[in-house]
Amino acid sequence: MGIEGSLPPTLACEQSGDVAVLRLCRPDKRNALNIEMIDGIRRFFSDPPHGARAVVLAAQGEHFSAGLDLSDVRDHGPAEGVMHSRAWHRAFAALEGGDLPVVAVLRGAVVGGGLELAAAAHIRVAEPSTFYALPEGQRGLFVGGGGSVRIPRLIGATRMMDMMLTGRTYGAAEGAAIGLSHYQPAEGEGLALGLELATRIAANAPLTNFAVLHALPRIAEADPATGYLTESLISAIAAADGEAKRRLADFLEKRAAKVVHR
Ligand code: 1HE
């Protein structure tokens, strides 16, 4: 049995061609993330379904996720709190640092740990109902799912400070403008767009996708000299691969599509 069979009932996986869809399925609790779901997310991305080349991360119901299931941490002391946060880190590291590009489809609340989860995805599609918040300040908490590392890289530390200190929320359009999402489909069309993007991603050469997921973020944070060297090495490896040879020949011999601006 694949990973699909061992997921908790609060997560569901289906496959459409070479795209796997992982869905948060706890709409009655607004997809609040309990430790069982976090562990399921880690296991799914550590051992993705056979044949999948990209993943869409979506959610059932009107809200992507209300964040941490607050009942999980009510009785935690400091040691349990650290372990709990580390479990979230492992899960989101498996997602972000796994082999498959992940497109998150957002709507409604993308709040607290829900925003931390979304921030670990590689592409974010946000329907107009999407709103982003970090209510940890109101709850007496701090982000624990890697948000203080990933979210400032998207919107800057000062905007994150504002969200956490004042409870400021951002809607879908503002969120896109400040870098929280890449695409804004119409309401109800996020999943279709997510699937279309993931299908396009899955059709890329595997080595290019590997380099984008694993080399690009490291190069972007390296000193420029290291970055330029690493870029030369990765681009040479990609171009020497048989897949690149085939695709280059297709273009040069007029069999491949041209770039189209839509
Ligand atoms: C929950 C949670 C939750 C809802 N943990 N149970 N996150 C928050 O502080 C956000 C808290 N949630 C909300 O502000 C609202 O629920 C929403 C704006 C997301 C949605 O509102 P609404 O009116 O659609 O739903 P609701 O009636 O508030 O919630 C429905 C049920 O879900 C209700 O339970 P019920 O048994 O009364 O039906 C809620 O108690 C439950 N519920 N959100 C537990 N978060 C790794 S560290 C990350 C730190 C954080 O993420 S802090 C931010 C936590």
Side-chain angles (χ1 to χ4, degrees):
M1 194 194 317
I3 178 75
E4 306 90 299
S6 68
L7 292 174
T10 43
L11 293 174
C13 168
E14 67 220 50
Q15 198 150 342
S16 132
D18 43 19
V19 175
V21 180
L22 179 66
R23 215 185 283 264
L24 310 178
C25 295
R26 205 187 175 206
D28 53 323
K29 295 289 181 187
R30 307 309 183 248
N31 293 313
L33 298 163
N34 58 25
I35 199 67
E36 180 186 73
M37 294 167 82
I38 292 297
D39 188 54
I41 290 170
R42 178 187 58 74
R43 287 186 291 108
F44 177 88
F45 286 103
S46 303
D47 183 16
H50 185 69
R53 296 188 60 188
V55 176
V56 171
L57 174 64
Q60 219 178 65
E62 289 169 17
H63 299 280
F64 177 72
S65 173
L68 166 71
D69 184 327
L70 293 164
S71 64
D72 265 17
V73 297
R74 197 169 29 193
D75 302 323
H76 275 179
E80 291 151 311
V82 171
M83 293 308 158
H84 182 266
S85 166
R86 297 303 283 167
W88 279 57
H89 288 173
R90 282 193 295 276
F92 295 178
L95 187 168
E96 186 182 42
D99 293 331
L100 303 181
V102 181
V103 180
V105 175
L106 311 178
R107 68 158 78 103
V110 181
V111 166
L115 177 51
E116 295 185 274
L117 170 60
H122 305 104
I123 304 281
R124 281 164 293 281
V125 168
E127 295 187 359
S129 61
T130 303
F131 62 96
Y132 306 93
L134 292 169
E136 280 81 352
Q138 284 122 277
R139 310 278 177 244
L141 303 172
F142 189 67
V143 283
S148 54
V149 174
R150 294 190 182 95
I151 297 169
R153 288 183 175 148
L154 298 177
I155 63 172
T158 61
R159 281 205 185 91
M160 183 169 174
M161 279 183 183
D162 183 23
M163 291 177 80
M164 294 195 71
L165 291 173
T166 69
R168 180 180 184 156
T169 63
Y170 285 98
E174 281 180 308
I178 64 171
L180 284 170
S181 75
H182 302 80
Y183 293 89
Q184 292 180 270
E187 200 64 32
E189 292 178 14
L191 184 60
L193 178 59
L195 284 168
E196 182 193 325
L197 295 170
T199 302
R200 221 183 289 163
I201 292 167
N204 292 336
L207 251 180
T208 304
N209 281 354
F210 168 81
V212 171
L213 254 54
H214 295 282
L216 176 61
R218 288 176 176 78
I219 292 171
E221 306 224 325
D223 67 278
T226 305
Y228 291 130
L229 177 65
T230 310
E231 181 189 88
S232 293
L233 297 174
I234 298 287
S235 65
I237 292 169
D241 190 62
E243 184 72 22
K245 300 275 176 259
R246 187 178 62 72
R247 288 169 185 246
L248 294 176
D250 282 350
F251 180 79
L252 295 170
E253 291 155 27
K254 312 281 184 220
R255 290 189 299 272
K258 294 183 190 182
V259 172
V260 181
H261 178 62
R262 325 168 220 239

